[in-house]
Amino acid sequence: MNLILLGAPGAGKGTQAEVISEKLGIPQISTGNILREAVKNGTECGLKAKSFMESGALVPDEVVIGILKDRIAEDDCKNGYILDGFPRTVPQAEALENMGINIDKVVSIDVPDEVIQGRLSGRRVCEKCGASYHIQFNPPKKEGICDKCGGNAVQRKDDAPETVIERLRTYHEQTAPLADFYDKRGKLVRVEGQEEVKDTSKKVLAAINA
Ligand code: ADP
Ligand code: AMP
């Protein structure tokens, strides 16, 4: 099954992708995590992406599409995958179609902007595996340490309030129109994402019949 999770920054895409990945045994592909790793390693692609990410803008389509293409060609993707944070623009969605990729379902996790700042200011992300936590709503068992891999769970620089405002603006302008794009193709399911993580997971799993 090939799935897309849509939603604002902080809507819970990463959190729910982890749940689906565990349940269905298919990988979570987060372009944000791949880009952060590239920035950390100082690769050519990381150098191109860095300033966009720091300002809350999107990385140019051709860079992200290239990353995605390479990732889904890997062996662990042959039984399907969960796209978390891709596509984020109409040209990215069109690129997927032009690659001949069939998307089974697109789940839009809907959370109002007013809730997002609190979600992102308390977010902690594992430096090693990218798992997402919240100091209040979804804390790791041991403070600052990832439950899954023992890596350090740290705050992301772009979760600073002023960058979050810019990321939300970018989202409404460039990514939100994708809901309509996939609705027209009969793929969209909307899930209200304000309940607790486990209740939202139930709704997300029901939406994909898992
Ligand atoms: P996204 O991948 O959409 O940017 P995340 O999955 O990283 O968002 O979630 C953003 C933050 O909100 C994280 O700190 C996460 O633990 C927390 N979170 C996710 N889902 C919920 C929820 N249903 N209720 C409260 N907090 C949540
Ligand atoms: P995320 O971890 O999904 O919140 O993404 C962090 C940042 O990486 C975003 O603010 C963008 O700058 C960049 N990014 C991630 N995915 C994409 C994408 N599909 N298209 C463009 N930029 C992206």
Side-chain angles (χ1 to χ4, degrees), residues 5 17 21 28 88 98 126 131 143 169 176:
L5 297 185
S21 172
Q28 162 192 7
R88 262 182 155 101
N98 294 337
C126 175
E143 197 184 319
R169 207 186 58 73

Side-chain angles (χ1 to χ4, degrees), residues 1-3 25-29 76-82 104:
M1 177 144 51
N2 297 334
L3 299 169
I26 55 176
Q28 162 192 7
I29 300 178
D76 63 334
C77 290
K78 60 180 188 297
N79 295 325
Y81 41 79
I82 308 149
D104 296 286

Side-chain angles (χ1 to χ4, degrees), residues 35-192:
L35 286 165
R36 275 185 290 281
E37 193 62 25
V39 170
K40 203 165 84 187
N41 294 332
T43 66
E44 195 188 328
C45 160
L47 291 176
K48 280 189 201 151
K50 191 169 188 273
S51 61
F52 296 100
M53 294 174 77
E54 284 176 353
S55 68
L58 294 181
V59 173
D61 286 334
E62 66 274 15
V63 176
V64 196
I65 290 167
I67 288 177
L68 198 273
K69 222 179 199 166
D70 289 348
R71 179 64 187 90
I72 59 178
E74 285 178 37
D75 217 38
D76 63 334
C77 290
K78 60 180 188 297
N79 295 325
Y81 41 79
I82 308 149
L83 300 183
D84 156 20
F86 186 99
R88 262 182 155 101
T89 63
V90 170
Q92 290 178 21
E94 287 169 345
L96 271 182
E97 288 190 340
N98 294 337
M99 286 179 227
I101 307 277
N102 179 54
I103 297 297
D104 296 286
K105 282 255 160 69
V106 178
V107 182
S108 174
I109 307 178
D110 299 331
V111 173
D113 284 5
E114 308 83 81
V115 178
I116 296 294
Q117 282 285 8
R119 290 251 184 123
L120 294 186
S121 58
R123 171 156 69 180
R124 298 293 181 270
V125 175
C126 175
E127 278 180 321
K128 210 161 142 197
C129 76
S132 189
Y133 299 93
H134 191 283
I135 49 173
Q136 185 184 353
F137 306 128
N138 186 24
K141 291 191 182 82
K142 204 168 156 205
E143 197 184 319
I145 303 293
C146 177
D147 292 346
K148 298 195 170 158
C149 76
N152 290 324
V154 300
Q155 194 156 24
R156 270 171 53 174
K157 260 202 202 135
D158 64 345
D159 282 345
E162 47 303 351
T163 318
V164 170
I165 291 171
E166 184 54 24
R167 288 164 66 204
L168 278 171
R169 207 186 58 73
T170 304
Y171 166 75
H172 287 294
E173 195 180 286
Q174 299 190 59
T175 307
L178 287 179
D180 216 35
F181 179 97
Y182 285 113
D183 196 25
K184 286 200 179 102
R185 286 154 176 78
K187 311 268 188 196
L188 186 78
V189 202
R190 284 189 180 277
V191 166
E192 203 272 297

